[in-house]
Amino acid sequence: MLTIENGLTKESDVSYDIAAIRNHFPIFEESEREIGRPLAYLDTAASSQKPREVVEVLTKSLLLEHANIHRGAYSLSARATERYEAVRATVARAINAKSDRSIIFTRGTTEAVNLVARSLESWFQPGDTIVLTMLEHHSNIVPWQLLAERRNLKVVFAAIQEDASLDLNDFIEKVRTLKPRLVSFSLHSNAFGTVPPSEEMVAVCREVGATIFTDAAQAIVHGTVDVEKLDTDFLAFSGHKVYGPTGSGVLYVRPEMYQHMEPFMGGGDMISSVTVEGSTWAEPPQKFEAGTPAIAEVLALGAALEFMDRIGRGAVQNHERELFQRAWELLKSEGLELYGPANNGGHQSSIIPFNVPGVHPHDIATIADTFNVQLRAGNHCAMPALRRVGLYSTVRASIGVYTRLEDFEQMIEALRHARKILS
Ligand SMILES: Cc1ncc(COP(=O)(O)O)c(C=O)c1O
């Protein structure tokens, strides 16, 4: 049965009340009033819009509750600390981490990857291998390349197929033969929407004893992420993609990995003692949270994860899967070149990359904007993936909790116009 609390559906297997969900995002009403057309925001993969309750937590924290955390003896600071630490528990629940101790707050996915690459530096031995896939976002490539330069490591990329699905055989062979110390891969490609077979990938990593880092920057937005089921050692995501604010993010660490990790940054809050002779470190996760953190943003991230929970992650997944299918068919019938594994029945969701024959992607995005349709054009910070499938850039339409088929219809109107004037 459908139950609604504050306009949000409660069960995952009931019809999805998109109008009620959109009401939580004031930008839709405001944009339509200002531009005179509905806002077809199709760039959630880059950054999501924010629901009212997330921004309310952010403003309330700054206006009415602000104090630094982990320091003050006064009650305002103690309450800020309590709220901040409660979000650690919310995050742990959201990704099924066994302990709050596994949750480090970061500024986002990029910082989380850099944190791990820096803090594990002396754990790696010269000559060690890191395996990535050709699908990765630059933020899951460059920090490992920088580390490889510093420590004389090899970075090897598992291949992808022409349709941007992972070449699982190549991945398995590389992991088995190279026996990498670490393997890092995204659970959901931002450029092609590819959902790689993480279960098989993790199994072969475990076979050779490789440590696993998973990039959940997109996966956390579109469905369920369960670190226990996934059996990953590290996992990262960004608050701003999952309906929370910029400047917030999460790194999950399997507690056993902490013993190998040196501090990422030094400063206040991450120490146990400081003397002129030297310093000792606080226990994790504080050891990795130097300085005053983004307190209000972390509280708002907690509100964003609770917002997702109230809709139901299963409901989000069903909505996005169904909409993806319908949008894909619609765009195909328009004669667009669509990219990704769905072309061959493979696993792709929430992200549709395409090109309009004869029209440059940036021109499409610019013209679409005049129809109040927001699209991303470019290489989507995934140059190796695009080059591998013979592309320099694509237009990308991505789906969020508030996306409707009407948004794609509005996009098609814009594309028809672009074709008429440009091709
Ligand atoms: C798969 C993936 N990984 C990492 C990132 C980097 O996220 P951020 O820029 O929030 O650090 C993104 C952002 O687009 C992404 O889509």
Side-chain angles (χ1 to χ4, degrees):
M1 203 189 74
L2 174 65
T3 54
I4 296 194
E5 262 178 29
N6 306 323
L8 295 176
T9 54
K10 278 287 282 177
E11 296 295 328
S12 58
D13 57 348
V14 294
S15 67
Y16 192 81
D17 191 346
I18 188 96
I21 287 170
R22 286 171 72 88
N23 275 340
H24 288 255
F25 294 84
I27 193 168
F28 291 114
E29 201 182 324
E30 177 60 21
S31 177
E32 187 164 353
R33 196 190 54 73
E34 192 189 324
I35 313 275
R37 268 177 177 276
L39 169 66
Y41 185 76
L42 292 169
D43 199 19
T44 295
S47 202
S48 62
Q49 295 302 335
K50 315 302 167 204
R52 189 176 277 109
E53 42 272 75
V54 165
V55 181
E56 278 168 3
V57 167
L58 190 71
T59 17
K60 188 172 172 214
S61 163
L62 291 168
L63 286 176
L64 305 175
E65 298 169 345
H66 181 71
N68 211 333
I69 58 165
H70 296 155
R71 282 149 218 226
Y74 51 94
S75 55
L76 207 52
S77 169
R79 280 202 301 273
T81 306
E82 253 171 52
R83 287 190 195 99
Y84 185 86
E85 291 304 325
V87 178
R88 223 184 280 282
T90 304
V91 173
R93 265 195 313 278
I95 60 172
N96 194 28
K98 276 189 184 150
S99 159
D100 304 1
R101 196 174 162 259
S102 283
I103 308 301
I104 298 173
F105 289 118
T106 68
R107 284 188 301 129
T109 309
T110 303
E111 185 174 285
V113 185
N114 280 278
L115 191 162
V116 174
R118 276 279 171 192
S119 65
L120 285 181
E121 191 161 326
S122 51
W123 174 74
F124 280 95
Q125 300 305 313
D128 278 350
T129 303
I130 294 173
V131 168
L132 310 175
T133 85
M134 291 288 280
L135 278 172
E136 301 316 309
H137 186 280
H138 297 162
S139 67
N140 194 24
I141 298 175
V142 183
W144 305 120
Q145 288 175 329
L146 289 169
L147 170 66
E149 270 175 33
R150 294 195 301 271
R151 291 289 285 156
N152 198 15
L153 315 176
K154 287 191 284 284
V155 178
V156 175
F157 290 78
I160 55 174
Q161 316 270 15
E162 290 290 328
D163 66 358
S165 58
L166 181 76
D167 182 339
L168 184 61
N169 289 334
D170 185 68
F171 179 86
I172 291 175
E173 195 194 313
K174 285 195 167 118
V175 172
R176 279 204 181 126
T177 53
L178 300 171
K179 300 192 175 17
R181 186 171 279 262
L182 183 132
V183 175
S184 184
F185 63 93
S186 165
L187 298 170
H188 193 153
S189 148
N190 67 305
F192 289 100
T194 310
V195 181
S198 52
E199 220 173 286
E200 287 92 329
M201 294 167 82
V202 167
V204 70
C205 292
R206 290 291 169 231
E207 219 179 276
V208 301
T211 292
I212 301 165
F213 187 107
T214 44
D215 170 354
Q218 296 296 332
I220 192 85
V221 185
H222 307 298
T224 309
V225 168
D226 182 327
V227 290
E228 282 298 312
K229 210 162 135 208
L230 192 58
D231 189 22
T232 186
D233 299 302
F234 297 99
L235 180 134
F237 67 87
S238 304
H240 72 97
K241 291 192 197 284
V242 66
Y243 311 106
T246 51
S248 66
V250 166
L251 171 66
Y252 160 84
V253 182
R254 187 194 292 278
E256 296 77 26
M257 289 308 298
Y258 275 137
Q259 61 186 309
H260 307 297
M261 293 169 69
E262 295 299 323
F264 166 53
M265 291 200 298
D269 230 23
M270 53 74 74
I271 51 86
S272 166
S273 78
V274 177
T275 67
V276 288
E277 285 80 30
S279 307
T280 57
W281 318 133
E283 287 300 312
Q286 269 69 42
K287 181 177 168 184
F288 302 99
E289 292 182 6
T292 300
I295 302 164
E297 287 78 0
V298 164
L299 300 193
L301 168 62
L305 293 174
E306 281 164 4
F307 173 77
M308 281 287 275
D309 278 350
R310 284 200 299 280
I311 303 177
R313 289 185 173 270
V316 171
Q317 208 163 343
N318 289 345
H319 163 70
E320 294 199 10
R321 205 174 279 163
E322 197 178 305
L323 182 57
F324 173 87
Q325 211 52 46
R326 294 174 72 188
W328 182 274
E329 294 308 324
L330 190 66
L331 301 195
K332 207 167 193 160
S333 67
E334 275 297 301
L336 307 180
E337 278 171 13
L338 305 183
Y339 307 110
N343 276 305
N344 297 319
H347 202 169
Q348 174 177 2
S349 81
S350 306
I351 289 167
I352 305 182
F354 65 90
N355 271 314
V356 179
V359 187
H360 195 278
H362 284 103
D363 291 337
I364 293 290
T366 306
I367 291 170
D369 183 45
T370 64
F371 285 69
N372 209 14
V373 175
Q374 317 302 327
L375 295 165
R376 174 89 179 266
N379 60 51
H380 316 293
C381 299
M383 283 191 205
L386 264 80
R387 291 304 302 126
R388 166 65 186 92
V389 301
L391 295 165
Y392 283 99
S393 65
T394 63
V395 188
R396 182 184 70 184
S398 53
I399 294 172
V401 290
Y402 35 62
T403 315
R404 311 167 297 179
L405 194 62
E406 291 95 309
D407 298 332
F408 285 93
E409 289 165 351
Q410 197 171 324
M411 178 181 99
I412 283 174
E413 199 190 330
L415 298 187
R416 285 183 184 161
H417 180 71
R419 267 181 151 160
K420 203 159 85 192
I421 60 171
L422 291 174
S423 57

